[in-house]
Amino acid sequence: MSSFALPSSALAPRRAWLTDLPVLLVAVVWGASYLAAKGITTTHTVVAVLVLRFAVILPVLVIAGYRRLRALTATQWRGAAGLGAILSGIFLLETYGVVHTSATNAGLIISLTMIFTPLAEAAVTRTRPSRAFVGAAGLSVTGVVLLTQGGGFTTPSVGDLLMLLAALARTVHVLAMARVKAVQSADSLSLTTVQLGSAVAVFAVLAALPGTGASPWAVAIGFGPREWAGLLFLSVFCTLFAFFVQMWAVRRTSPSRVSLLLGTEPLWAASVGIMIGGEQLGALGVLGAALVLGGTTWGRRAADRES
């Protein structure tokens, strides 16, 4: 036997960090995903890139969860497919949005989902949110207004508005997952696979329509090493890796701890956009970014105290 052993109290923090670090890495890659998407996508290739992004990983998910997929009922398939239709709208709004705004703005504006979701839930359940949460929501919205005016007070860009709509669509998706009874008993892997499959089907139909841009095949042929690296980053790390880490982490720590770590995504989006993408916010933008981060953090903690 070894004469040296760490006490259990010293091992516990180490085990916690072994779980926290992969989750934190998910927040980092999600933050970087906006710049990656912006780097490989144009207005005319949005739909094609989305087809390629999810078609790459869908076979892996189907193979990994084949037995569970076969066990789904017809009602569960329909419910998950409906959620997938909402998910397709989210990705379309986000991807078109990031093409028309900065990666920094995209990551910070989408973080308003953390504020919109509890407010929407309170409206649905007819409960009144706390003053602290309302204050946090006001702070976040003020921050977004300032963030989009980093170069002086002007009309927000189309991309900023699309990202705001994407945050609202994310809220609808979260509420639907919680309220659609058909999917509540389905396992996470099967639910995700059906949703992504439905989203890919929507993207494929859109790609076949005239006027929706280049075909996925043409875009794939035209991609060079840099574009393929960006696409694989979005597919493998931002989707496949992120999904499995979340499933792994929630079984080893609390959902609130996972949510807290994933909530750092907008911070990483801003950091990557500024340090790697060379984006600049300006004085108003910096103040706005600080208010968004402060407001969403305050709001998340207020919501946790109320739950």
Side-chain angles (χ1 to χ4, degrees):
M1 293 179 63
S2 171
S3 59
F4 175 76
L6 288 173
S8 59
S9 59
L11 286 172
R14 178 175 295 182
R15 291 195 188 101
W17 272 108
L18 288 175
T19 303
D20 289 350
L21 283 175
V23 178
L24 190 61
L25 183 57
V26 170
V28 173
V29 298
W30 276 356
S33 68
Y34 301 100
L35 187 62
K38 191 174 182 68
I40 67 170
T41 314
T42 67
T43 304
H44 300 292
T45 63
V46 167
V47 176
V49 168
L50 286 172
V51 171
L52 294 172
R53 173 179 175 178
F54 294 109
V56 167
I57 62 165
L58 195 57
V60 178
L61 293 175
V62 170
I63 293 171
Y66 181 70
R67 291 184 178 178
R68 295 177 183 178
L69 282 171
R70 292 187 62 185
L72 292 178
T73 65
T75 303
Q76 289 173 328
W77 274 92
R78 287 194 295 270
L83 292 173
I86 300 174
L87 192 65
S88 68
I90 294 171
F91 279 110
L92 285 167
L93 288 168
E94 286 184 358
T95 311
Y96 275 113
V98 79
V99 169
H100 294 289
T101 189
S102 67
T104 302
N105 278 24
L108 290 167
I109 293 172
I110 202 68
S111 70
L112 287 179
T113 302
M114 290 183 283
I115 295 295
F116 290 158
T117 302
L119 287 176
E121 189 173 14
V124 169
T125 58
R126 297 182 179 180
T127 57
R128 181 176 296 180
S130 67
R131 291 182 179 179
F133 189 84
V134 172
L139 193 67
S140 299
V141 172
T142 302
V144 167
V145 172
L146 293 177
L147 176 67
T148 60
Q149 309 301 315
F153 286 100
T154 58
T155 303
S157 71
V158 172
D160 294 333
L161 296 176
L162 288 173
M163 293 308 300
L164 189 61
L165 289 174
L168 291 170
R170 278 195 184 189
T171 299
V172 172
H173 186 255
V174 170
L175 292 181
M177 283 196 297
R179 301 181 73 84
V180 176
K181 295 181 179 180
V183 301
Q184 291 176 0
S185 59
D187 68 281
S188 299
L189 178 58
S190 299
L191 181 60
T192 300
T193 303
V194 176
Q195 285 188 82
L196 290 182
S198 300
V200 170
V202 172
F203 302 146
V205 169
L206 290 176
L209 297 176
T212 53
S215 70
W217 179 252
V219 170
I221 292 176
F223 271 1
R226 184 183 70 84
E227 289 80 12
W228 274 110
L231 181 71
L232 291 175
F233 173 75
L234 291 171
S235 298
V236 176
F237 289 97
C238 299
T239 308
L240 190 62
F241 167 77
F243 168 71
F244 280 109
V245 165
Q246 287 181 84
M247 284 190 62
W248 171 80
V250 294
R251 288 169 170 78
R252 289 164 174 78
T253 186
S254 66
S256 59
R257 190 177 182 90
V258 173
S259 176
L260 181 64
L261 292 167
L262 293 179
T264 63
E265 176 192 344
L267 176 62
W268 300 111
S271 300
V272 170
I274 293 169
M275 293 189 295
I276 298 178
E279 298 174 353
Q280 297 182 354
L281 290 177
L284 286 176
V286 171
L287 176 60
L291 291 179
V292 171
L293 292 172
T296 52
T297 301
W298 182 19
R300 187 168 59 250
R301 290 177 177 174
D304 287 341
R305 286 195 297 268
E306 292 173 24
S307 60

